[in-house]
Amino acid sequence: MRGLFITIEGPDGSGKSTQIENIKKFFENKNIDIVFTREPGGTPIGESIREIILDNRFKEMDPMTEAMLYAASRAQHVAEIIGPALDAGKVVVCDRFVDSSLAYQGYGRNLGEAVEIINSYAVREYVPDVTFLMKLDPDVGKHRIEENRENQDRLEHEKLAFHKKVYEGYLELERKFPDRIVGIDASLGIDEIRDEIYRKLEEII
Ligand code: TYD
């Protein structure tokens, strides 16, 4: 039987990292082994692609180049890590996956359907079972990044207008895939958010 594929999504500065730690703890407490991984990256090839994509020097990067690099990193990730783990019946938890491309490149960069098409080749049948979407107003998220991070990457450097489009994209995806995407109010307290995620995880496993 295929394993369980969980992804976590959200705009920059939405508190995703904190909740990822909580998700890891959830499975640890239950003695369930998970394969934890992230995008862009997750494999040696993917991590090399990540460096190119996020490099602040590459201001000239064309949006389609960007979309294809994310998809290329994902194709390798699915082939090398995610696909084999799910085929072996494991639980896979991934920090960002295809919805990031649909939101950032599809909506943020206005590439629309092209992003769905190229990614269908990367993702193949390994569509997530559950996706937690951390929902936070981009005004708040962007402010948090600027306060907390000295070195912002190429995507984080984008203007607020870009981050607003990305967020609209995420909300659209939540409406489009209500059975898969679980929206989480990321303006709540850290513990409240954790409890909500744990409730959903209990339901799933
Ligand atoms: P990362 O450092 O992983 O950010 P975070 O800690 O917020 O997850 O950087 C990934 C950046 O790349 C982030 O700004 C989101 C963006 N991204 C895309 O634009 N498309 C994608 O397909 C993925 C996976 C990420």
Side-chain angles (χ1 to χ4, degrees):
M1 225 180 77
R2 198 187 108 147
L4 176 67
F5 188 17
I6 299 170
T7 59
I8 306 108
E9 294 281 353
D12 294 275
S14 60
K16 197 163 51 68
S17 312
T18 309
Q19 296 308 327
I20 283 169
E21 289 312 309
N22 282 331
I23 292 174
K24 285 185 189 164
K25 272 189 213 136
F26 176 90
F27 287 104
E28 235 171 76
N29 292 340
K30 294 203 176 306
N31 282 321
I32 299 173
D33 278 341
I34 64 163
V35 172
F36 174 75
T37 185
R38 70 158 184 184
E39 290 207 346
T43 64
I45 293 174
E47 292 293 332
S48 299
I49 296 174
R50 176 191 174 91
E51 282 176 26
I52 300 173
I53 303 176
L54 299 181
D55 193 326
N56 277 315
R57 285 175 308 166
F58 296 147
K59 301 252 182 288
E60 74 279 24
M61 190 179 291
D62 178 76
M64 188 55 83
T65 309
E66 182 182 285
M68 287 183 162
L69 285 174
Y70 278 114
S73 162
R74 182 162 302 124
Q76 186 63 30
H77 198 195
V78 167
E80 198 178 323
I81 309 281
I82 296 174
L86 290 174
D87 290 345
K90 294 188 180 150
V91 177
V92 176
V93 177
C94 192
D95 178 359
R96 296 194 181 280
F97 193 59
V98 65
D99 297 299
S100 282
S101 281
L102 300 175
Y104 282 77
Q105 283 68 51
Y107 289 86
R109 303 284 193 218
N110 296 315
L111 292 175
E113 208 191 345
V115 181
E116 277 174 51
I117 296 169
I118 53 175
N119 274 284
S120 65
Y121 294 102
V123 171
R124 297 186 275 143
E125 69 270 38
Y126 301 102
V127 175
D129 299 299
V130 186
T131 299
F132 289 106
L133 170 60
M134 303 290 289
K135 291 164 68 174
L136 187 72
D137 190 280
D139 287 300
V140 184
K142 184 101 173 87
H143 186 70
R144 280 197 198 163
I145 301 169
E146 279 161 8
E147 271 196 336
N148 300 334
R149 297 193 202 168
E150 277 177 17
N151 300 315
Q152 295 176 48
D153 63 45
R154 201 174 55 82
L155 273 282
E156 286 169 342
H157 262 302
E158 280 291 338
K159 299 206 167 40
L160 185 59
F162 171 77
H163 289 280
K164 287 197 163 160
K165 272 201 277 181
V166 169
Y167 191 57
E168 279 308 311
Y170 270 131
L171 297 183
E172 189 63 41
L173 291 169
E174 187 191 21
R175 284 191 286 271
K176 204 165 153 189
F177 304 108
D179 297 336
R180 172 172 69 83
I181 300 186
V182 180
I184 302 283
D185 179 357
S187 69
L188 296 174
I190 290 175
D191 292 349
E192 274 176 285
I193 299 174
R194 179 203 54 209
D195 293 348
E196 207 179 318
I197 292 177
Y198 279 15
R199 262 196 301 278
K200 185 68 197 179
L201 286 173
E202 286 288 355
E203 242 177 76
I204 299 162
I205 62 166

